[in-house]
Amino acid sequence: MYESCCHTGLNMLAEGSSFFKGLLLGSIFCLVVSLLGNFTPSWQSSPGIHLHHHIKAPSKEDLQGLPETQKLELSLRVRVYCAIMVQPKDLAYYLTAKDTWSKHCDRAEFYTSESSKAIEAVNLQEQDEWARIRKALTHAYNNAGDLRWFFVARATTFAIIENLKYLVLDKDPRQPFYIGRTAKSGELEYVEFTSGIILSYEALRRLTEVFDDTEKCPERGRALWKLSEEKQLAECLKYRGVFAENGEDTQGKGLFNSKSVNSLIADSLDQDPADVVENCCSDMAITFSGMTPNQMQVMMFGIYRLHPYGHTFHDSLVFLPPVGSEND
């Protein structure tokens, strides 16, 4: 291929050029064509066709028909390991996440890029974000114990863990689930990291295995095709037959939000001022992003601490806090 490309390149550049200039440019042309010809983005070479799925939470009607003993068993079965990525510059977010939503995880582990006296976290000693996520997920897999669901997020994301548990309540963690807010880049579907990512135990098991294959899942990304960490994750998972799924409620509303509540309400006001709440977001939303630490504290107050006197919620299940947790 290289030899034929050289003849082509020289012919293209011969007119109006000296022999040596044509030789040089033609050689460069051939080298680039040869490299590109041998390079194919790995998601294009993956065999099989996957039909995109929308993962929905179970309906309240289905749960209400279950015996009380089965409801209790379900509520105790779903337990979540939260892998929260933080950097020293995000100290305010770290302190807020540690004081608020992370308490609702069955285990919350913070992972940092470098040592900091102010942050209690696993020091991965890694500045590259994709390499850092790989190390964090490997650590989570090796230290999860009997936890079978994994939530991966930045400390700048606010999460409602009980709603996350409700989404995966009827899902089998022995199946490969990779859930969040999906997006598409070319032929690659991926889950946005900004809104948080859910992985089942089986999905994470397959991922840690493919980490060892540097051809399919390079630690530092590809030299000619550098991807963001969220796309790298999707690419590696796709090699093992794990595909991005969009998390939704029973009405089809997205549960993972890349915006703050304020922004979503503002968008809803522009679209339909007469029905702001209905058009804003799901009442079973799992994550919000783009909030300040103070706004996160306000969210915590509104979700967990403010209760109208005399009003009783009629949810079918109760997710109890982790044993020994200072849960709100």
Side-chain angles (χ1 to χ4, degrees):
M1 177 180 179
Y2 181 87
E3 184 174 325
S4 63
C5 285
C6 284
H7 289 301
T8 303
L10 287 171
N11 289 336
M12 291 173 60
L13 296 165
E15 294 184 7
S17 301
S18 67
F19 172 78
F20 291 107
K21 182 179 180 181
L23 179 62
L24 176 61
L25 293 179
S27 298
I28 294 173
F29 170 80
C30 294
L31 179 60
V32 172
V33 169
S34 297
L35 289 172
L36 292 178
N38 292 327
F39 176 74
T40 304
S42 55
W43 61 80
Q44 294 181 5
S45 63
S46 189
I49 298 174
H50 173 69
L51 298 178
H52 180 67
H53 294 293
H54 295 252
I55 300 298
K56 295 185 181 293
S59 68
K60 293 182 179 181
E61 290 74 20
D62 291 339
L63 290 177
Q64 287 172 351
L66 296 176
E68 291 301 319
T69 53
Q70 191 172 349
K71 292 179 185 178
L72 178 61
E73 192 274 332
L74 282 172
S75 67
L76 295 175
R77 186 179 65 186
V78 183
R79 302 175 67 218
V80 179
Y81 185 115
C82 294
I84 307 167
M85 311 300 293
V86 65
Q87 295 191 58
K89 66 179 182 179
D90 299 325
L91 178 60
Y93 280 102
Y94 160 76
L95 294 172
T96 303
K98 186 178 180 181
D99 185 51
T100 58
W101 65 266
S102 70
K103 291 182 179 180
H104 294 249
C105 304
D106 294 283
R107 176 173 176 179
E109 196 74 70
F110 289 86
Y111 296 92
T112 185
S113 57
E114 58 188 87
S115 178
S116 172
K117 293 182 179 179
I119 294 178
E120 296 178 13
V122 177
N123 180 15
L124 300 174
Q125 299 180 335
E126 180 58 67
Q127 294 300 317
D128 181 82
E129 189 159 16
W130 167 235
R132 190 162 64 248
I133 290 175
R134 287 172 59 110
K135 288 185 176 181
L137 290 175
T138 301
H139 180 275
Y141 178 75
N142 292 332
N143 293 275
D146 61 351
L147 303 185
R148 288 298 179 263
W149 290 100
F150 300 83
F151 177 61
V152 190
R154 295 190 178 100
T156 52
T157 299
F158 184 92
I160 305 166
I161 301 301
E162 289 81 3
N163 288 355
L164 185 161
K165 290 184 175 183
Y166 186 73
L167 172 64
V168 301
L169 185 68
D170 59 349
K171 314 298 186 295
D172 186 351
R174 294 172 296 182
Q175 297 298 317
F177 285 101
Y178 163 45
I179 314 170
R181 177 185 174 90
T182 58
K184 194 169 183 179
S185 176
E187 296 299 316
L188 179 68
E189 285 183 297
Y190 63 95
V191 171
E192 294 180 350
F193 189 25
T194 303
S195 307
I197 299 169
I198 299 175
L199 294 167
S200 65
Y201 182 83
E202 175 61 17
L204 188 54
R205 185 191 70 80
R206 295 187 188 187
L207 181 64
T208 55
E209 285 184 354
V210 82
F211 280 163
D212 295 329
D213 190 332
T214 56
E215 288 296 319
K216 295 178 180 178
C217 188
E219 182 176 4
R220 301 290 171 179
R222 301 185 184 279
L224 295 180
W225 200 268
K226 181 67 174 177
L227 299 176
S228 63
E229 66 282 353
E230 56 195 8
K231 295 176 186 176
Q232 289 275 13
L233 177 64
E235 184 185 7
C236 295
L237 284 168
K238 191 171 182 179
Y239 263 118
R240 293 304 313 274
V242 185
F243 302 93
E245 321 274 12
N246 196 66
E248 302 173 356
D249 64 14
T250 54
Q251 297 177 325
K253 292 182 179 180
L255 299 176
F256 297 81
N257 298 289
S258 58
K259 296 181 178 181
S260 67
V261 176
N262 290 348
S263 296
L264 291 169
I265 291 175
D267 292 345
S268 184
L269 277 169
D270 291 338
Q271 295 169 6
D272 188 358
D275 201 356
V276 175
V277 175
E278 184 64 25
N279 291 319
C280 168
C281 36
S282 171
D283 59 2
M284 293 298 295
I286 294 172
T287 62
F288 296 94
S289 300
M291 303 169 67
T292 66
N294 285 340
Q295 288 172 333
M296 289 185 178
Q297 292 285 1
V298 173
M299 280 285 290
M300 195 71 181
F301 174 78
I303 293 171
Y304 292 104
R305 299 169 187 165
L306 180 62
H307 300 286
Y309 182 79
H311 182 83
T312 303
F313 290 95
H314 298 284
D315 291 331
S316 299
L317 295 172
V318 175
F319 292 112
L320 299 176
V323 177
S325 170
E326 297 178 358
N327 203 288
D328 297 289

